[in-house]
Amino acid sequence: MQAAAGRRALPGTSSQHRGAQPRAPGRARGLGKAWGSREPVRGGREPSVPRGAAMGCWRVPGPVLALLLLLCPPPSPACPPCRCSPGEVDCSERALREVPWSLSTNTSTLWLGYNFITVLGPRSFPPLPGLRLLSLVHNRLELIHSQALLGLGALQELDLSHNHLSVLTPETFLPLTSLATLNLSSNRLGDLAPGVPAALPQLQALLLQDNPWVCSCSILPLWRWLSHNREKVREKSLLLCRVPEQLNKYPIMAFGDESFRQCQDTSLSPQHYIAFFSIGPFSFMASIFFCTFLGSLVVFYHSLRRESHCWRRPRVCRVH
């Protein structure tokens, strides 16, 4: 009977089971109203709840959010598969076959060495107005298009060493109006047009060693430029001839004016070739007319001589 009475008493004492402390009915109802609805609480004061607490986070005021967005830099373009830091991109040893285009416009230093780039075609580089140093060492460069370096007017140092370059044109370097250092060492250059360094008004250092220079009359223009710009040529003692064999490893800067005297005497200008081509046909026709005229004179002289002989010996002429 006592157990049954205890079971019946459980529903009425639900607020006190599990060790709960009894609460004032009015206060409990008031708290339930305050948290469960927006209605005003009767018999109690509505507690102060921070704005945004019901969502589990704090709201940032509008002006503060706008200030934070202004202070945070805009997201930079995705860095290519290289090592990137502010202003510097290192794409060395990435097995690249062309210049990546996903480069930040604020890049000032670009390393592209030890890759497999063979050709720099027209506009091979993205717009990089702040690029100061470009390194393409130890690639397989064989050709650089005349418009490959457009947009790199701020470039100050260009390293093209340890490649397979054999021909360079002055037009390729015309956009590099600020270039101070050009490294062309360890390539396959047999000669170099003097217009290449002359196209760089700010050039201060030129490296040309370890190239198979052909020391013939074709190197005379380069030798003249080197002689007048010795202060710009680094490692002058390493500029050695490779061809012809009798001049192998002979220093180019050791030549003098007398070494090219024969080249200067036999060198012909385009005007000379034009004169030769125009005089040749005329002299040929003149020679034909002269030979014809001379042959006519000989025949006429022999005929006159025969007639005079016949007048002197008429019997002999009749027999013939």
Side-chain angles (χ1 to χ4, degrees):
M1 295 294 292
Q2 292 178 356
R7 293 191 194 99
R8 285 195 226 71
L10 284 174
T13 60
S14 60
S15 61
Q16 296 180 3
H17 77 288
R18 298 180 183 178
Q21 297 294 328
R23 297 181 181 178
R27 186 175 181 184
R29 287 194 297 269
L31 286 176
K33 289 286 184 179
W35 287 97
S37 66
R38 293 291 183 179
E39 297 179 2
V41 181
R42 295 179 182 179
R45 186 177 181 182
E46 183 177 2
S48 60
V49 182
R51 297 182 63 185
M55 300 296 295
C57 61
W58 292 90
R59 290 186 179 179
V60 180
V64 177
L65 181 60
L67 181 61
L68 291 176
L69 292 176
L70 290 176
L71 293 177
C72 294
S76 59
C79 181
C82 308
R83 293 183 294 271
C84 298
S85 60
E88 182 174 352
V89 178
D90 188 356
C91 296
S92 303
E93 300 179 352
R94 299 289 172 170
L96 299 176
R97 298 186 180 275
E98 59 183 9
V99 180
W101 268 73
S102 55
L103 298 173
S104 176
T105 55
N106 63 353
T107 302
S108 60
T109 302
L110 179 57
W111 306 95
L112 289 169
Y114 297 91
N115 285 294
F116 304 130
I117 302 175
T118 58
V119 176
L120 291 179
R123 296 186 177 273
S124 293
F125 295 87
L128 299 172
L131 190 63
R132 299 291 188 274
L133 185 149
L134 174 60
S135 176
L136 285 158
V137 299
H138 287 280
N139 274 271
R140 300 176 181 178
L141 274 176
E142 298 178 357
L143 177 64
I144 301 179
H145 193 272
S146 59
Q147 298 181 353
L149 304 178
L150 290 177
L152 305 181
L155 195 64
Q156 297 179 358
E157 184 174 350
L158 176 60
D159 194 344
L160 298 172
S161 62
H162 297 278
N163 279 285
H164 301 164
L165 295 171
S166 58
V167 177
L168 292 172
T169 60
E171 293 76 15
T172 302
F173 300 93
L174 287 177
L176 308 182
T177 55
S178 302
L179 193 68
T181 302
L182 176 60
N183 191 345
L184 297 174
S185 60
S186 299
N187 275 278
R188 298 178 180 177
L189 296 172
D191 57 6
L192 183 68
V196 172
L200 303 170
Q202 302 298 327
L203 186 65
Q204 299 177 5
L206 178 63
L207 292 90
L208 296 172
Q209 66 270 17
D210 297 327
N211 279 285
W213 299 109
V214 178
C215 293
S216 61
C217 292
S218 62
I219 206 174
L220 174 59
L222 176 62
W223 176 82
R224 286 175 175 170
W225 187 92
L226 295 173
S227 301
H228 291 89
N229 297 274
R230 291 178 177 268
E231 72 283 355
K232 297 181 180 181
V233 185
R234 295 184 180 178
E235 307 292 342
K236 292 184 285 291
S237 60
L238 299 179
L239 271 67
L240 306 177
C241 300
R242 181 73 60 84
V243 179
E245 186 177 356
Q246 59 269 24
L247 293 176
N248 187 25
K249 296 184 179 181
Y250 189 84
I252 295 178
M253 302 303 295
F255 287 119
D257 290 329
E258 65 280 358
S259 302
F260 298 98
R261 184 173 301 171
Q262 184 179 359
C263 300
Q264 295 173 355
D265 294 340
T266 58
S267 60
L268 298 176
S269 63
Q271 290 80 5
H272 292 150
Y273 287 104
I274 294 174
F276 288 153
F277 281 115
S278 59
I279 293 175
F282 176 78
S283 60
F284 176 73
M285 297 299 297
S287 63
I288 293 177
F289 283 113
F290 177 77
C291 292
T292 304
F293 177 73
L294 184 61
S296 301
L297 289 179
V298 172
V299 172
F300 182 71
Y301 171 76
H302 281 288
S303 62
L304 288 178
R305 187 175 180 182
R306 184 184 177 194
E307 289 180 1
S308 61
H309 182 70
C310 291
W311 282 104
R312 293 176 183 176
R313 296 181 180 182
R315 293 181 181 178
V316 178
C317 294
R318 289 194 190 103
V319 173
H320 290 290

